[in-house]
């Protein structure tokens, strides 16, 4: 029997959702695996968020993604949180499990999937550039996966300090905050360097305040920026002999985790990446 339309619906709640390339990526996975599901964009104003979530319950949605400004505000409208979403205090993926809407955070999980293709997160000494939502998501997953130490380098001491407090108190890992003033030199004992700032988004030449000569062969250098994927940091790190992970991989892998949560299948990440690249015009 073909699945009914409403029971096979997932979506994305955001503001200014025009042309969300995630739609192409998720629907490519559904088509490739013969699932008659749909993933739709819903532009939801902050004051309508509660009604929108109740609407997904009423219409039998299997789940939905939510992006800024809804990642924190959605929590009171849900029935529970997954482990990392509870630690981060932010949700980007909601999954209907039986009749409960459970909030998950797949951003950090997507990053970890990318990382595991080149290195084991356990025991890593990490430099995290940035302390916003993406940094928080990635740092919490790294902590849960056994990273040894995370140095948070951020412009705003308040956000940097909050992330370090979270890592120390809830994940019990070594963490320190370094205020970002001038070009930061990566300590030679570092295994993993991550740009989790928004620097580089839509600007391939945007420069991080970083002493590039401190990047050493053997370090893994990752960027959360997915568009363009070949950021200045990724190009510099490659030229220095580092292994690199671009933000497009993270975006694809968070989509993979979401599709797995909603449908129970393991989608083909290659199909999803190609669809995303086409949608982004890459
Ligand atoms: P936030 O606004 O929460 O955080 C932005 C971070 O960037 C803060 O640490 C901020 O520092 C820092 N920053 C911004 N501009 C500068 C600057 N000029 N100099 C120094 N630091 C700066 O954003 P998010 O964390 O939600 O998103 C960050 C990026 O991650 C976005 O570009 C987004 O596209 C990307 N992202 C990618 C994902 C993927 O799957 N590839 C998933 C999620 C996000 P301060 O605290 O001092 O303001």
């Amino acid at each position: 029997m073909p699945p009914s339309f409403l029971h096979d619906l997932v979506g994305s709640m955001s503001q200014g959702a025009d042309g969300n390339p995630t739609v192409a990526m998720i629907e490519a996975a559904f088509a490739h695996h013969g699932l008659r599901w749909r993933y739709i964009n819903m532009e939801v104003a902050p004051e309508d968020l509660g009604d929108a979530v109740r609407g997904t319950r009423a219409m039998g949605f299997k789940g939905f993604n939510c992006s800024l400004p809804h990642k924190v505000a959605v929590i009171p409208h849900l029935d529970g949180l997954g482990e990392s979403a509870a630690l981060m205090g932010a949700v980007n993926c909601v999954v209907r499990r039986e009749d409960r809407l459970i909030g998950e955070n797949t951003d950090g999980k997507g990053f970890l999937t990318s990382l595991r293709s080149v290195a084991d997160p356990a025991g890593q000494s990490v430099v995290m550039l940035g302390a916003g939502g993406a940094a928080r998501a990635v740092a919490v997953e790294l902590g849960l996966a056994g990273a040894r130490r995370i140095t948070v380098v951020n412009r705003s001491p308040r956000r940097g300090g909050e992330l370090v407090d979270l890592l120390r108190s809830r994940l019990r890992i070594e963490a320190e905050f370094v205020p970002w003033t001038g070009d930061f030199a990566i300590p030679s004992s570092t295994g993993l360097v991550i740009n989790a700032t928004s620097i580089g988004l839509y600007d391939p030449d945007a420069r991080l305040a970083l002493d590039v000569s401190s990047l050493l062969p053997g370090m893994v250098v990752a960027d959360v920026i997915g568009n363009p994927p070949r950021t200045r940091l990724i190009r510099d790190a490659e030229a220095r002999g580092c292994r690199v992970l671009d933000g497009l991989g993270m975006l694809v892998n968070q989509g993979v985790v979401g599709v797995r949560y909603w449908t129970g299948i393991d989608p083909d990440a290659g199909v999803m990446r190609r669809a995303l690249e086409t949608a982004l015009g890459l």
Side-chain angles (χ1 to χ4, degrees):
M1 196 170 78
S4 79
F5 177 72
L6 284 176
H7 283 265
D8 300 305
L9 202 57
V10 282
S12 164
M13 288 189 192
S14 56
Q15 260 197 317
D18 287 354
N20 182 346
T22 305
V23 174
M25 175 177 78
I26 303 285
E27 292 218 318
F30 293 162
H32 182 73
H33 294 283
L35 295 173
R36 297 180 60 202
W37 289 48
R38 295 304 310 271
Y39 181 93
I40 58 168
N41 249 335
M42 296 163 286
E43 188 163 344
V44 177
E47 61 273 22
D48 295 328
L49 183 60
D51 286 341
V53 175
R54 279 188 289 281
T56 67
R57 286 182 198 274
M59 292 184 284
F61 274 49
K62 295 285 194 181
F64 53 92
N65 285 124
C66 45
S67 53
L68 292 174
H70 303 315
K71 287 185 174 185
V72 177
V74 76
I75 292 175
H77 304 292
L78 304 178
D79 302 309
L81 297 177
E83 182 185 24
S84 56
L87 283 165
M88 289 165 210
V91 163
N92 77 331
C93 180
V94 175
V95 189
R96 179 187 285 253
R97 298 199 174 113
E98 295 170 346
D99 264 344
R100 302 180 74 223
L101 291 182
I102 305 298
E104 298 280 359
N105 199 305
T106 57
D107 283 337
K109 293 183 201 299
F111 177 84
L112 236 67
T113 307
S114 293
L115 176 62
R116 285 202 166 99
S117 68
V118 298
D120 184 352
Q124 288 282 352
S125 195
V126 181
V127 168
M128 176 70 71
L129 303 166
R136 208 174 173 84
V138 170
V140 164
E141 294 293 350
L142 283 169
L144 290 172
R148 188 175 63 77
R149 177 181 179 79
I150 301 184
T151 301
V152 176
V153 183
N154 198 53
R155 185 178 57 177
S156 137
R158 184 185 54 79
R159 285 221 271 191
E162 282 170 5
L163 179 51
V164 164
D165 287 346
L166 170 74
L167 294 171
R168 285 184 185 154
S169 64
R170 303 290 301 278
L171 289 147
R172 307 255 169 235
I173 64 170
E174 281 180 50
E176 67 163 340
F177 170 64
V178 177
W180 200 348
T181 51
D183 283 0
F184 182 74
I186 307 292
S188 59
S189 57
T190 304
L192 172 62
V193 181
I194 305 163
N195 172 38
T197 73
S198 42
I199 299 168
L201 188 64
Y202 308 131
D203 181 356
D205 297 319
R207 179 182 177 276
L208 287 168
L210 190 67
D211 175 359
V212 171
S213 68
S214 66
L215 294 173
L216 303 177
M219 289 180 180
V220 176
V221 176
D223 205 322
V224 300
I225 299 299
N227 190 13
R230 288 187 59 75
T231 58
R232 182 165 178 169
L233 173 66
I234 292 287
R235 298 193 312 271
D236 284 347
E238 255 177 6
R240 299 276 310 159
C242 305
R243 286 171 294 168
V244 297
L245 292 171
D246 68 31
L248 210 55
M250 174 177 169
L251 189 55
V252 171
N253 284 319
Q254 65 83 24
V256 167
V257 176
V259 171
R260 191 183 300 136
Y261 278 154
W262 296 319
T263 68
I265 66 155
D266 235 333
D268 184 322
V271 165
M272 293 172 70
R273 179 158 181 141
R274 282 191 291 281
L276 185 62
E277 284 174 345
T278 303
L280 291 172
L282 298 173

